[in-house]
Amino acid sequence: MRGLRRVRVPARLKRGALRLTRVTPLPRTTRARRRTVQAVMLGTVLALAPATWTHAVADSRLRSTADVPAQDVAVVFGAGLWKGRPTPYLAHRLDTAAELYRAGKVRVVLVTGDNSRVEYDEPDAMRTYLTARGVPDGRIVSDYAGFDTWDSCVRAKRIFGVDRAVLVTQDFHIKRAVALCRAAGIESYGVKVVEPHDSVFYYGGVRELVAAGKAALDATLRPDPHFLGEREPGVTEALASARTP
C-alpha cells in the first residue's frame, strides 16, 4: 500500500528475540537423563524428610479427648485474632481445652501466643474465651512470648517448668507440635482438633510441609526462643491451688 513504510528490525534485535525464546534442551544421553531423575528424586526425598520425621515421632502420641491420659497441663497454641477475638480455628482449640478441663483430664491450661505489640494480645483473648466457658481464671496461665511452636515448647519447659502436657491444636499442626515439644524435653500427648477441609485447612496442610523443615532445624540446632526471660511460677502456683481443697 502507498504511504506506508516498512520498518526494518535490526539484526541484533532479531537475534535477541531468538535468544529469549530458546528453551533449554533435555539431557541427550541416557546417563545425563538418569542423573537428572536421580537429582529430582533426591530433592523430593529431602523435601519430605522433615514431615516424615514429625509423623514418625508423633503418630503414637495422638489421642482423642476421651482417651488421652490425664496430665497436669494442657498447652494451647495461638492461631490468630480477628478484631481482638480468637479466630474460629483458635476458638476450636480453646473449646477442646475447656472440654479437657471439664472432663478432669487436665488441671491447668497454659495459653501461649503472640503479644509482641500492645494492640495484639493472643493470650489475654484466649483467657477471656476460656473463662467464659467455665475454666477458672486461676487455672489459666499465659505465655505472652509464644511466637512460634518451637518458642512455645521451649518456654513451656524452661520458663514454666512443664515436664508433661497435653497439646491442643488442629490435626495438620499437631504432629509438628508433639515432635517439637518432645525435642524440647516435654513428654507430650496430642489432641487434634478436626476441622472441615476448607481452603484454610488445605493452606495449613501445605504450609506444614515448609514448617516441618524449620521444625527439623529447630529440633537439631535447639536455638533459644526469640525471648526467654526469667523463670515464671504461674503453672506451679496454679497446680498448687488446684490441689488445695
Side-chain angles (χ1 to χ4, degrees):
M1 295 176 63
R2 292 183 180 179
L4 295 180
R5 299 173 59 190
R6 292 184 61 187
V7 177
R8 300 184 62 184
V9 178
R12 61 185 178 84
L13 292 182
K14 290 182 180 181
R15 288 195 296 270
L18 289 175
R19 283 198 296 271
L20 290 175
T21 58
R22 186 175 298 162
V23 178
T24 302
L26 293 174
R28 293 182 178 181
T29 67
T30 301
R31 185 177 182 182
R33 286 195 293 269
R34 185 183 300 118
R35 286 182 175 177
T36 300
V37 171
Q38 289 172 343
V40 171
M41 292 177 63
L42 177 61
T44 302
V45 169
L46 292 176
L48 295 177
T52 303
W53 163 70
T54 63
H55 282 252
V57 171
D59 266 345
S60 64
R61 312 294 295 184
L62 303 185
R63 299 289 189 274
S64 68
T65 53
D67 63 14
V68 68
Q71 304 288 343
D72 283 340
V73 181
V75 178
V76 184
F77 299 88
L81 303 178
W82 175 252
K83 296 183 178 180
R85 297 175 58 83
T87 60
Y89 271 44
L90 179 53
H92 297 163
R93 296 180 188 186
L94 296 166
D95 289 336
T96 301
E99 182 182 347
L100 289 168
Y101 179 83
R102 290 191 296 266
K105 295 287 187 174
V106 300
R107 293 189 290 177
V108 171
V109 180
L110 174 62
V111 293
T112 173
D114 185 353
N115 182 215
S116 57
R117 55 191 190 277
V118 174
E119 68 276 9
Y120 190 87
D121 191 339
E122 275 188 304
D124 276 359
M126 295 160 78
R127 177 186 292 271
T128 299
Y129 189 96
L130 285 172
T131 56
R133 282 148 187 83
V135 181
D137 187 73
R139 304 291 175 86
I140 304 169
V141 179
S142 299
D143 174 13
Y144 294 96
F147 300 133
D148 61 22
T149 306
W150 175 248
D151 283 13
S152 293
C153 291
V154 173
R155 285 178 54 80
K157 174 68 176 181
R158 294 171 60 182
I159 301 301
F160 295 94
V162 176
D163 295 316
R164 291 175 295 277
V166 177
L167 312 181
V168 182
T169 184
Q170 269 71 28
D171 48 359
F172 57 75
H173 176 224
I174 191 64
K175 293 177 182 178
R176 178 163 61 94
V178 170
L180 284 175
C181 278
R182 285 174 64 82
I186 299 175
E187 189 70 13
S188 305
Y189 286 93
V191 172
K192 60 183 179 180
V193 180
V194 179
E195 298 285 353
H197 289 191
D198 55 11
S199 59
V200 177
F201 177 90
Y202 286 116
Y203 168 78
V206 171
R207 181 179 178 274
E208 280 302 303
L209 293 176
V210 178
K214 179 182 180 300
L217 287 175
D218 287 337
T220 302
L221 301 177
R222 300 176 184 271
D224 282 337
H226 293 84
F227 178 81
L228 191 59
E230 302 292 330
R231 185 157 180 137
E232 297 186 20
V235 169
T236 302
E237 292 174 352
L239 287 173
S241 69
R243 297 188 186 103
T244 304

